Amino acid sequence: MSRSRNGVAVRPARYGFFFLALLICICAWALPASAQPELTQSGIATAHPLATRAGEEILAAGGNAFDAAVAISAALAVVEPYASGLGGGGFWLLHEAETGRQVLIDGREVAPAAATRDMYLDAQGKPQAGLSVSGPLAAGIPGEPAALAHLAKNYGRLPLATSLAPAIRYAEQGIEVSRGIGMGLMFRAEAARNSPAFSAIYMPGGKPVEAGATLRFRDLARTLRKLAADGHDGFYRGSVARRMVTGVQAAGGIWTRDDLAAYKVVEREPIRVQYRDATLVMAPPPSSGGVVIGDSLNILRAWDLGKLQSVERKHLTVEAMRRAYRDRAMYLGDPAFVSMPIERLLNPWYADGQRTSIRLDRATPSDDLPGIAPAAGGGTNTTHFSVLDKAGNRVAGTLSINTWFGAVFIPPGTGVILNNEMDDFSAKAGTPNSFELLGADANAIAPGKRMLSSMSPSFIESPRGVAILGTPGGSRIISMVLLSALAWMDGADAREMVSLKRYHHQYYPDVVVHEEGAFTVEEKTGLEARGHKLELSPRSFGNMQVVTWDRKTGRVDAASDPRGGGEVTVY
Ligand code: DON
């Protein structure tokens, strides 16, 4: 055998071919999976075509997946202003190909220093729901700007300013009013009236902007430019911080300059759970995603789900969700404030115990499980993106300002829509929040504490390849990621994962909420006969974005949820 190198014929030694083949096999086995040579494409899936293009632009400019993640996150802040943004937070799950290192960048909001446990209760101790949902009192100290600066500085190849450039351009040139913006305003127009800076953009003349009109965001562009020029401090100190605190306080909020100056991102070790031949790499607390998905899979692993009838499979999946969401309500919160029995919750022995109360022929009423008694929902606000670059770097990012348009409040002069993530705390033990989630002391409000989240950016790694996934959807995020992970491990492709019809159980309320088509007539009958209460969701739920890489063929695939208006690219 001979081949040509620089025009010189090279004849390998007699056993050369054998040793070369052996070496290739050993390297392929020893290298981190994603560093294997057959990855020749990048893949991006986001909830908006302009965000996907921002990622593409940055990869083409020599950036890696982490730079692309910065560009996509910032672009989403402009083009999906109702879902995430500089006034909110998120989790960015990273895989660095060169080192194999995996880390979760926690840019979750924190409660301001003046927050108190009972701040949303009236004199009679009753929750005043509105206060944690609209206006500046509903807003935690944002984490997204800090996370973007951190990502660029520690993981990116390009300057922050380069990665923020597409978002700044979108903000300055303007974007068309989308269906999402229209929907968000439909839900939040009333609250918007209390923020003149918000109304000036979205409700000119007191009426929601019309589809097709162009919105320009001059203040937001200026804030993005400050972040681009001065990094972290450009947002958390100086003129932007001053404007934010002045605006918040003037409208009855409790933020101080110190709260902003004190904000820090936290790097966290992901949760890893083995299921069959796959490893799931997931978000740890203050996200509840990794624990709840891991706990559910541990419960399910005792059955060969593929061999069961579909109704049994779905029944068992619901029972696993019920138990794992109960643990969420009971135990989970910010690790800096509560000690959580995570190792126990993820221990196979624990799942063995949980399984003993599961019957194949009957649903377990949630009231029969030990624990807290009452308190489900989800929309397509919040946002998720998945990126894989040719080097094998990956990012799964789920970002949020919580419900549509967050607190529906913009501190004048900043262009920044504040989150209403304070509602993700448990305002009162046993009282459901906007997503009908229950919580206990572990998720009570405390100054500087991160509120428990359901955002679940995840990787699945197996001999088949890698899947990068996540979705918005409030409390339903976790069950959506669980169902799609199970589907991928059963051979589904990216498109099937995002299109899958969804069902959900979150302990309380004790109902299986489902999309049209999630169950066949036979399955419905079978589930009802077991005592499950089924509730058809009036709306579809989720907006999942998935990128997959097939280890054998080297093929990269990306899919965006048909329920949303996202776009993917593979090249
Ligand atoms: O962190 C959480 O769990 C929520 N703030 C996510 C909100 C969400 O997904 C809303 N979208 N439908």
Side-chain angles (χ1 to χ4, degrees):
M1 192 192 99
S2 66
R3 42 201 166 86
S4 185
R5 190 195 299 150
N6 297 334
V8 180
V10 178
R11 181 176 294 278
R14 205 158 158 213
Y15 299 108
F17 178 72
F18 173 75
F19 284 117
L20 189 66
L22 189 68
L23 192 70
I24 290 172
C25 288
I26 290 171
C27 287
W29 175 79
L31 279 174
S34 50
Q36 288 179 26
E38 62 267 31
L39 182 58
T40 54
Q41 292 171 306
S42 310
I44 300 177
T46 86
H48 197 288
L50 289 175
T52 299
R53 263 169 247 160
E56 225 172 22
E57 180 179 324
I58 291 304
L59 288 182
N64 58 17
F66 312 122
D67 298 304
V70 172
I72 292 169
S73 305
L76 287 166
V78 179
V79 299
E80 274 194 332
Y82 48 84
S84 73
L86 298 188
F91 299 114
W92 291 255
L93 181 64
L94 316 185
H95 171 93
E96 215 174 22
E98 207 178 320
T99 56
R101 183 162 176 254
Q102 299 182 320
V103 65
L104 180 96
I105 307 299
D106 170 352
R108 181 69 164 163
E109 299 88 336
V110 302
T116 59
R117 189 185 170 99
D118 297 338
M119 63 189 278
Y120 300 119
L121 304 185
D122 64 14
Q124 284 71 47
K126 276 210 339 251
Q128 300 174 275
L131 288 185
S132 64
V133 176
S134 305
L137 210 52
I141 305 301
E144 178 161 325
L148 301 189
H150 184 87
L151 267 167
K153 187 162 157 210
N154 297 288
Y155 297 94
R157 274 202 216 128
L158 302 178
L160 177 62
T162 307
S163 301
L164 293 182
I168 295 172
R169 206 172 59 230
Y170 297 156
E172 281 171 351
Q173 292 177 353
I175 59 154
E176 218 177 85
V177 172
S178 60
R179 195 172 137 250
I181 292 176
M183 287 264 287
L185 291 174
M186 193 172 85
F187 289 118
R188 305 304 302 276
E190 243 351 273
R193 297 188 204 288
N194 298 323
S195 173
F198 185 97
S199 303
I201 300 174
Y202 294 100
M203 310 263 297
K207 282 215 286 298
V209 281
E210 289 188 359
T214 300
L215 291 181
R216 283 192 186 78
F217 306 99
R218 285 192 195 89
D219 288 344
L220 179 59
R222 194 173 53 191
T223 298
L224 280 162
R225 281 192 183 283
K226 277 300 253 185
L227 182 64
D230 300 338
H232 179 107
D233 287 355
F235 186 88
Y236 292 91
R237 294 174 192 269
S239 59
V240 173
R242 197 169 50 244
R243 284 198 183 100
M244 293 222 288
V245 169
T246 306
V248 162
Q249 290 185 355
I254 55 174
W255 291 14
T256 65
R257 301 273 295 278
D258 286 346
D259 283 323
L260 287 168
Y263 186 85
K264 282 194 178 56
V265 298
V266 181
E267 294 210 340
R268 300 186 189 277
E269 185 63 22
I271 283 183
R272 289 185 187 78
V273 169
Q274 194 70 29
Y275 183 78
R276 301 196 323 229
D277 65 353
T279 306
L280 288 94
V281 184
M282 300 174 291
S287 166
S288 55
V291 173
V292 175
I293 295 171
D295 193 356
S296 307
L297 291 172
N298 281 341
I299 295 175
L300 291 172
R301 75 170 73 242
W303 290 280
D304 188 346
L305 294 181
K307 295 223 168 88
L308 298 179
Q309 284 177 358
S310 67
V311 60
E312 287 172 335
R313 193 161 63 230
K314 291 181 176 174
H315 162 69
L316 291 172
T317 307
V318 167
E319 290 303 314
M321 288 174 186
R322 181 198 308 281
R323 285 158 179 79
Y325 270 93
R326 170 197 165 269
D327 289 345
R328 177 194 197 281
M330 194 90 167
Y331 300 113
L332 302 187
D334 180 347
F337 286 75
V338 283
S339 110
M340 288 170 274
I342 304 230
E343 272 174 24
R344 178 162 70 86
L345 295 178
L346 292 175
N347 188 309
W349 292 104
Y350 179 73
D352 290 347
Q354 284 175 304
R355 225 179 282 118
T356 54
S357 62
I358 297 182
R359 289 179 51 167
L360 263 180
D361 62 340
R362 194 145 67 80
T364 311
S366 289
D367 280 332
D368 288 2
L369 294 177
I372 57 183
T380 53
N381 34 1
T382 299
T383 195
H384 176 87
F385 67 86
S386 296
V387 189
L388 169 71
D389 69 20
K390 286 181 194 161
N393 298 307
R394 310 173 210 149
V395 182
T398 312
L399 327 176
S400 184
I401 50 175
N402 200 23
T403 61
W404 292 103
F405 284 113
V408 206
F409 180 82
I410 297 183
T414 65
V416 175
I417 301 177
L418 300 190
N419 68 85
N420 59 353
E421 303 283 5
M422 290 295 285
D423 193 65
D424 279 349
F425 277 120
S426 173
K428 186 176 179 181
T431 301
N433 71 358
S434 294
F435 300 107
E436 293 185 65
L437 281 166
L438 284 185
D441 281 352
N443 191 32
I445 305 173
K449 186 173 176 184
R450 284 160 147 86
M451 53 297 279
L452 187 61
S453 171
S454 301
M455 293 187 284
S456 309
S458 303
F459 303 144
I460 321 173
E461 302 166 343
S462 83
R464 179 183 169 201
V466 170
I468 307 168
L469 70 157
T471 177
S475 57
R476 299 174 189 174
I477 292 174
I478 303 172
S479 56
M480 288 188 251
V481 171
L482 171 68
L483 293 180
S484 291
L486 284 167
W488 188 76
M489 292 187 285
D490 276 340
D493 63 15
R495 198 163 317 282
E496 289 163 336
M497 287 166 84
V498 299
S499 317
L500 202 71
K501 297 291 183 194
R502 294 163 178 152
Y503 58 94
H504 169 80
H505 193 294
Q506 61 176 50
Y507 173 51
Y508 278 104
D510 193 353
V511 289
V512 183
V513 189
H514 65 95
E515 290 183 312
E516 182 83 59
F519 302 126
T520 61
V521 173
E522 215 175 29
E523 287 167 354
K524 271 189 199 154
T525 316
L527 289 167
E528 279 166 352
R530 284 168 171 81
H532 290 286
K533 263 188 246 101
L534 306 187
E535 187 182 297
L536 177 66
S537 168
R539 287 176 282 134
S540 60
F541 40 101
N543 192 7
M544 185 172 281
Q545 312 296 326
V546 175
V547 173
T548 58
W549 168 56
D550 186 304
R551 222 181 271 282
K552 287 199 192 80
T553 61
R555 192 183 136 121
V556 171
D557 209 359
S560 185
D561 204 313
R563 298 159 184 85
E567 191 172 288
V568 303
T569 178
V570 173
Y571 66 102

